[in-house]
Amino acid sequence: MKALVPIADDSPFPLENLPWGAFTRPGESRIRLGVALGDWVVDLAWLAQHGLLPTQQLPGDYFLHQESLNDFLGRGPDVWREVRMLLTHLLSDAGPDAVRASLVPRGEVTMRLPMRIGDYTDFYSSREHATNVGTLMRGPENALSSNWLHLPIAYHGRSSSIVLSGTDVRRPWGQIAADVFAPSRRLDYELELGCVIGPGNVLGTPIAAADASQHIFGFVLVNDWSARDHQKWEYQPLGPFLSKNFATSISPWIVPLEALQPFRVAGPVQAPEPLPYLRTKEPWNFDLHLEVSLQTATSRQRLSLGNAKYLYWNICQQIAHHTVGGCNLQPGDLLASGTISGPEREMLGCLLERTRGGAEPIALADGTTRTFLEDGDVVTMTGWCTGSGVRIGFGEVTGRVLAACREPGRPVD
């Protein structure tokens, strides 16, 4: 089946993808829901208003006219699947020609956060990342904490500071030591994959690992910006706080789980075997290629080339552990994987690892070096799956570092 518009072979958004997002049209303030198709955005409200989306087959269509995806997320896999089938037909060369009027050039729209994120949890699911960071922090003999191989470690993040790709990130102030209060001197990026929750669970009722996929709508790319010097000072005994809560960037398009199903692969062997509530019979990692690049004033350079298949704890295990005590997830919640690193040097997903804590600067093409991010640097992350002639992409998540604001508490001169 071909799309009703030409799509380049290297486009991240073929007909087989149809990622979901929210946008405004040129000259309008109203937020609309849409899916991406090649270089176009499909205005779903326009399709419904003009009778081109046969919503009589759905249990109500008002979600198509809302400004966020939360209601749609809560409807579950059966509705998602039916809408996806309808859209795939409408947007194929077998669909009505009138559908073309719903297309808006992707370069002309302004993307918005696609869902209201009530809660955000960031996991620590890469064994390579945890080992590398633990070695830097505590030495190789204590690299992994005693519980790391037994459960998915995580912390609750700050949803109010989650921003869309393209939003500038200001260098944060914080404590570096007992007598040092300063802007972070070790600002870092973290390459992550974020899961967008669909239907939630009732408070007090855990989600079994075997059922967790029914609660997954799709995925976004995540850059969990980190102030490493603030983090080192504050992380004991309760973990990250100010070093993580100043900004987290996500990509604007949610790639649906259904589009990623052909790219599921087995993850690393887990030894010791997890407790029964964390065991998954099916493979729930993804063969998802990931890249990070750095744009400075005079050069652009790739810093990381990784893959999500290396994650030790998979998304179904993360959901099962998150809810096993009775915590209730809700539509629109975001669960991030934690930094994704692999076994090779080029697969390390943050500067803390790439530069070994700043001891080994990265040489850039313009003759300069980096240990951590400098003001004006632009970080871009992208990812895609390929197979059987299809490329399912995530687009990009990008952010530019701005200089720190005037010292908090200092009187205006």
Side-chain angles (χ1 to χ4, degrees), residues 78-271:
D78 290 343
V79 172
W80 305 339
R81 194 173 299 113
E82 186 168 1
V83 172
R84 182 176 173 83
M85 290 174 58
L86 291 171
L87 288 174
T88 299
H89 174 74
L90 280 175
L91 300 173
S92 73
D93 54 4
D97 195 63
V99 171
R100 295 176 182 271
S102 71
L103 304 181
V104 187
R106 216 164 21 95
E108 295 182 5
V109 304
T110 300
M111 299 304 298
R112 308 292 185 180
L113 279 173
M115 68 285 192
R116 298 185 306 275
I117 304 172
D119 282 297
Y120 164 50
T121 302
D122 195 19
F123 283 86
Y124 194 42
S125 297
S126 164
R127 183 171 185 171
E128 290 82 3
H129 174 66
T131 300
N132 292 334
V133 173
T135 298
L136 290 169
M137 297 283 194
R138 297 179 296 274
E141 66 282 356
N142 296 308
L144 289 181
S145 58
S146 59
N147 60 355
W148 199 94
L149 293 172
H150 297 274
L151 54 85
I153 302 294
Y155 73 92
H156 288 291
R158 182 72 182 175
S159 61
S160 65
S161 53
I162 296 176
V163 297
L164 202 64
S165 173
T167 304
D168 293 337
V169 174
R170 190 167 293 281
R171 185 179 298 274
W173 284 81
Q175 288 190 29
I176 297 174
D179 57 350
V180 181
F181 176 66
S184 174
R185 300 162 186 168
R186 294 190 161 206
L187 185 60
D188 202 355
Y189 61 80
E190 289 193 349
L191 171 62
E192 305 193 15
L193 183 64
C195 169
V196 177
I197 294 296
N201 56 302
V202 177
L203 181 67
T205 306
I207 297 173
D211 300 328
S213 63
Q214 300 301 302
H215 298 263
I216 301 171
F217 177 70
F219 294 86
V220 294
L221 298 179
V222 176
N223 183 353
D224 182 33
W225 303 89
S226 299
R228 297 301 189 185
D229 38 7
H230 300 167
Q231 181 180 2
K232 185 176 181 179
W233 173 240
E234 75 176 5
Y235 85 102
Q236 293 180 337
L238 295 181
F241 184 32
L242 301 187
S243 58
K244 298 278 191 175
N245 72 1
F246 59 96
T248 301
S249 301
I250 67 171
S251 53
W253 295 104
I254 307 174
V255 176
L257 174 61
E258 192 161 349
L260 297 174
Q261 292 283 11
F263 307 100
R264 286 169 49 190
V265 294
V269 174
Q270 294 182 329

Side-chain angles (χ1 to χ4, degrees), residues 254-300:
I254 307 174
V255 176
L257 174 61
E258 192 161 349
L260 297 174
Q261 292 283 11
F263 307 100
R264 286 169 49 190
V265 294
V269 174
Q270 294 182 329
E273 185 177 24
L275 291 175
Y277 81 95
L278 286 171
R279 295 173 190 169
T280 51
K281 295 181 180 180
E282 298 182 25
W284 276 107
N285 283 35
F286 298 95
D287 187 6
L288 169 60
H289 301 275
L290 298 165
E291 288 192 6
V292 181
S293 63
L294 176 68
Q295 176 76 53
T296 71
T298 55
S299 71
R300 181 182 176 93

Side-chain angles (χ1 to χ4, degrees), residues 31 61 147 179 314:
I31 298 176
D61 69 341
N147 60 355
D179 57 350
N314 66 53

